[in-house]
Amino acid sequence: MAHYKGEQDDWLIVYLKYLLFVFNFFFWVGGASVMAVGIWTLVEKSGYLSVLASSTFAASAYILIFAGALVMVTGFLGFGAIIREQRSCLSTYFCLLLVIFLVELVAGVLAHVYYQKLSDELKQHLNRTLTENYGQPRTPEITTSVDRLQQDFKCCGSNSSADWQHSAYILSNEAQGRQVPDSCCKTVVTRCGQRTHPSNIYKVEGGCITKLEQFLADHLLLMGAVGIGVACLQICGMVLTCCLHRRIQLHFY
């Protein structure tokens, strides 16, 4: 009877090891995906970050990158812990899974909080950025960000092209008679912003605020979905790790 129980325990350990190995593979892939989303957000879309009032959006992306890198390192540790069947390694693996889960939880909370105040922040800040900081020598990064924003989203002004009438840049001599920046033009050439006819510049209902708000909401949704997916994997992994840890303990003691 004891021999049968021993064989049964062996098969349970092997079965749990295979399950945990498969989980760990998908967990590692999920970590790579999380890190890729964070890096893509910062590298490809960082041009818009300087027009935002807070750094919450960027902070969420940095947390995702950190969590993704930690997941990949933890994945390698997990493979070693599974193969060696050492309880100390499995305990460390479990603790790291828990830490990653908490990090992703923080990122998810930040993204949710930021999403709630996203619209108010854009309405209050973007128009002030366009009117006060665009084209000023002390804020070249904002000028570049606004130009890229208007060209990428094919929009002009915070709410409409009329917002530029109160811009410090348009009212200055540097504007050289422009009514809007050249980045508002459908085809950008020097001083094309002197003419505001719809055939020349972008006339979008809701202006750049609507486009930028939708862009950020989509990215926050993507970051949240990826984070939730990996978090669900982690819960499964922690359960499997506990079961394997317990089974190995019973088998050898």
Side-chain angles (χ1 to χ4, degrees):
M1 190 71 175
H3 176 70
Y4 172 77
K5 185 177 180 180
E7 288 183 349
Q8 187 181 41
D9 287 344
D10 288 341
W11 276 106
L12 283 172
I13 290 173
V14 171
Y15 182 69
L16 286 171
K17 282 177 62 177
Y18 276 115
L19 277 179
L20 194 54
F21 193 89
V22 171
F23 152 78
N24 200 62
F25 171 76
F26 285 108
F27 180 62
W28 189 89
V29 172
S33 301
V34 167
M35 188 166 65
V37 169
I39 292 174
W40 175 68
T41 299
L42 289 178
V43 174
E44 292 296 324
K45 309 302 178 182
S46 60
Y48 308 136
L49 298 181
S50 61
V51 301
L52 301 177
S54 75
S55 59
T56 311
F57 183 76
S60 296
Y62 279 118
I63 290 175
L64 280 182
I65 293 173
F66 172 74
L70 190 57
V71 164
M72 296 181 73
V73 172
T74 302
F76 285 118
L77 176 63
F79 287 126
I82 296 166
I83 294 171
R84 294 183 179 183
E85 296 185 12
Q86 292 182 345
R87 290 191 300 128
S88 59
C89 289
L90 288 171
S91 298
T92 303
Y93 180 58
F94 176 86
C95 291
L96 286 174
L97 286 178
L98 183 60
V99 169
I100 295 167
F101 180 80
L102 294 175
V103 168
E104 289 177 343
L105 185 63
V106 170
V109 170
L110 283 175
H112 178 72
V113 170
Y114 185 63
Y115 179 78
Q116 298 301 313
K117 65 177 185 177
L118 176 61
S119 180
D120 291 338
E121 176 183 319
L122 289 178
K123 290 175 182 176
Q124 294 174 8
H125 185 72
L126 185 58
N127 190 55
R128 186 171 68 250
T129 297
L130 267 59
T131 57
E132 297 179 4
N133 299 321
Y134 182 88
Q136 303 305 305
R138 66 182 184 279
T139 55
E141 71 285 351
I142 290 181
T143 301
T144 302
S145 293
V146 172
D147 284 339
R148 181 178 174 184
L149 175 70
Q150 295 191 140
Q151 278 295 296
D152 286 356
F153 293 145
K154 303 184 187 309
C155 59
C156 183
S158 178
N159 296 287
S160 70
S161 59
D163 294 334
W164 285 108
Q165 295 176 4
H166 309 290
S167 168
Y169 167 72
I170 295 299
L171 296 174
S172 68
N173 294 328
E174 285 77 8
Q176 297 180 336
R178 293 178 177 86
Q179 298 184 58
V180 294
D182 291 343
S183 57
C184 281
C185 299
K186 295 179 179 179
T187 302
V188 178
V189 294
T190 304
R191 290 198 292 274
C192 64
Q194 292 177 342
R195 194 167 68 92
T196 58
H197 192 272
S199 63
N200 183 52
I201 69 169
Y202 293 113
K203 296 277 190 178
V204 179
E205 185 177 353
C208 292
I209 282 182
T210 303
K211 294 291 190 74
L212 183 57
E213 184 176 1
Q214 186 60 50
F215 162 81
L216 292 176
D218 289 345
H219 274 66
L220 289 173
L221 181 63
L222 176 61
M223 286 191 284
V226 172
I228 290 172
V230 175
C232 290
L233 279 175
Q234 287 170 249
I235 294 173
C236 295
M238 286 188 282
V239 172
L240 288 172
T241 304
C242 286
C243 291
L244 182 58
H245 186 281
R246 179 62 176 167
R247 185 57 58 181
I248 291 174
Q249 184 181 30
L250 292 175
H251 182 73
F252 288 103
Y253 291 94

